[in-house]
Amino acid sequence: MAEPLALYVHWPFCVSKCPYCDFNSHVRESVDQAVWREALLADLRHEAGLLPGRPVSSIFFGGGTPSLMPPETVAGVIAAAEAAWGLADDCEITLEANPNSVEVANFAALASAGVNRVSIGVQSFDPQILEFLGRAHSGDEARRAIAAAQEHFARVSFDLIYARPGQSLGQWEAELNDALAFGTGHLSLYQLTIEPGTRFATLAAKGDLVIPDGDTAADLFDATQAMTRAAGLPRYEVSNHARPGEESRHNLTYWRYGDYAGVGPGAHGRRLAQATERHKKPENFVSAVERNGHGLKVEADLPAHERATEAMLMGLRLTEGIDLARVEARSGLGRAAFVDAGAVARLAAQGLIVQDGDRLAVTDDGILLLDSILSEVVRTG
């Protein structure tokens, strides 16, 4: 039986652009909701025609700010996925939301539309930090949003950004304690990174923005692991923590290198050994759908070695590690083609990686060195 499929739906619109954000998000004065609903549904139907017989195990509405989507559009997409593929009995349907009151007011309607998990972009509860990050909500709004989400959705996650300029270990521990006190089953905790092309990148280039050095960031990371583990939400991926069973099933599909259909502007997909990408600019996406019946810009065959490499780079982010036999089966290559056994043995002796049969995983001691470990272990050519 074919593996289940994950479906990603991108809503590209935001009220404003955050200075650290390099996602495909756009600010528009007005959005023709009827046009957008039909464009997304047409794009979805095109993907469904190429991937028959694959029940959908998860749907993820990302953005942009998908909590600005009309609930009837969300319901329409879910119904179209059900009609085209069928949904697994326990299908996880996640929607990203900001804590602004106008979006929180939509929670009840979004739950009625079929959303059963929400991921809230809190980032911080500190008003000065929220201003620094360009966020449009207050700390109190964030707290109210989490509480409201817990009333309406079976599963709730929220994001925080740490390792910010000048942030001390004590400040972060206090903030993380506040976050853990909400009792949500999932937390995404990201260290601030400077992404090319963002306003923060411009400030960093001028020396006006300096993030913590490696040793300080490592101390913050170690404290994060200890506190989340003690609270029953251990790390299951580099930046993601969950109570056992509360992991994001949708993101696990990415990290385990399963197939996923990407619908909407700029959405990426991986299906049947192909990489897909939609037109990024909203207007170009709609024009493409009206012209072609889909928003595809790129549809490229992935060579076997590239598939194996991608699977390794994604899977070793997971605490569970990667199943090398599965990578062999999906790529058609023997593991010697994509794993440097000598590097694995050397790093295992240093306690940075562990291999148990087909399972290869980076240890807690190794995770902060993940990039260098990947460069040694994964054969890319």
Side-chain angles (χ1 to χ4, degrees), residues 114-272:
V115 175
N116 55 30
R117 181 178 182 272
V118 72
S119 178
I120 306 173
V122 170
Q123 316 312 358
S124 176
F125 298 102
D126 184 306
Q128 289 181 303
I129 300 303
L130 289 168
E131 182 179 359
F132 163 72
L133 293 172
R135 305 298 285 168
H137 63 269
S138 68
D140 285 342
E141 280 183 308
R143 293 182 176 89
R144 287 195 296 269
I146 296 167
Q150 290 174 308
E151 289 178 20
H152 292 294
F153 302 101
R155 298 171 62 200
V156 177
S157 176
F158 61 93
D159 301 356
L160 294 177
I161 292 176
Y162 71 105
R164 306 180 302 247
Q167 184 180 37
S168 71
L169 181 59
Q171 288 170 331
W172 172 233
E173 288 175 334
E175 189 167 9
L176 184 52
N177 261 325
D178 286 348
L180 290 165
F182 285 100
T184 61
H186 191 285
L187 285 175
S188 296
L189 307 171
Y190 301 105
Q191 293 201 357
L192 180 63
T193 54
I194 307 301
E195 301 293 349
T198 63
R199 187 159 67 82
F200 274 3
T202 303
L203 292 172
K206 293 192 295 184
D208 294 338
L209 176 63
V210 180
I211 59 176
D213 62 26
D215 287 344
T216 303
D219 289 343
L220 292 165
F221 182 87
D222 289 342
T224 301
Q225 309 319 304
M227 291 175 65
T228 53
R229 194 163 46 241
L233 277 77
R235 172 180 57 81
Y236 71 97
E237 188 270 345
V238 175
S239 302
N240 286 276
H241 304 254
R243 197 173 292 128
E246 294 283 319
E247 299 89 354
S248 167
R249 291 176 221 154
H250 186 85
N251 286 334
L252 282 173
T253 297
Y254 296 162
W255 293 318
R256 290 171 176 165
Y257 208 60
D259 279 349
Y260 60 98
V263 169
H268 290 253
R270 289 290 183 275
R271 55 160 157 81
L272 307 178

Side-chain angles (χ1 to χ4, degrees), residues 7-11 36-42 44-45 56 59-61 69-85 87 93 113 263:
L7 172 63
Y8 176 78
V9 181
H10 193 83
W11 182 258
W36 271 93
R37 183 157 50 251
E38 186 46 47
L40 289 174
L41 295 179
L44 184 153
R45 288 190 292 266
V56 169
I59 302 174
F60 194 102
F61 292 91
M69 291 177 75
E72 55 268 27
T73 299
V74 174
V77 169
I78 295 170
E82 169 79 81
W85 285 295
L87 304 183
I93 303 178
V263 169

Side-chain angles (χ1 to χ4, degrees), residues 8 24 43 46-47 260-271 274-281 285 288 294-300:
Y8 176 78
N24 185 36
D43 204 30
H46 178 81
E47 283 296 302
Y260 60 98
V263 169
H268 290 253
R270 289 290 183 275
R271 55 160 157 81
Q274 285 187 320
T276 66
E277 183 182 349
R278 262 58 188 173
H279 288 274
K280 289 182 72 171
K281 188 177 178 183
F285 170 79
H294 59 75
L296 277 164
K297 181 181 181 182
V298 175
E299 194 173 28

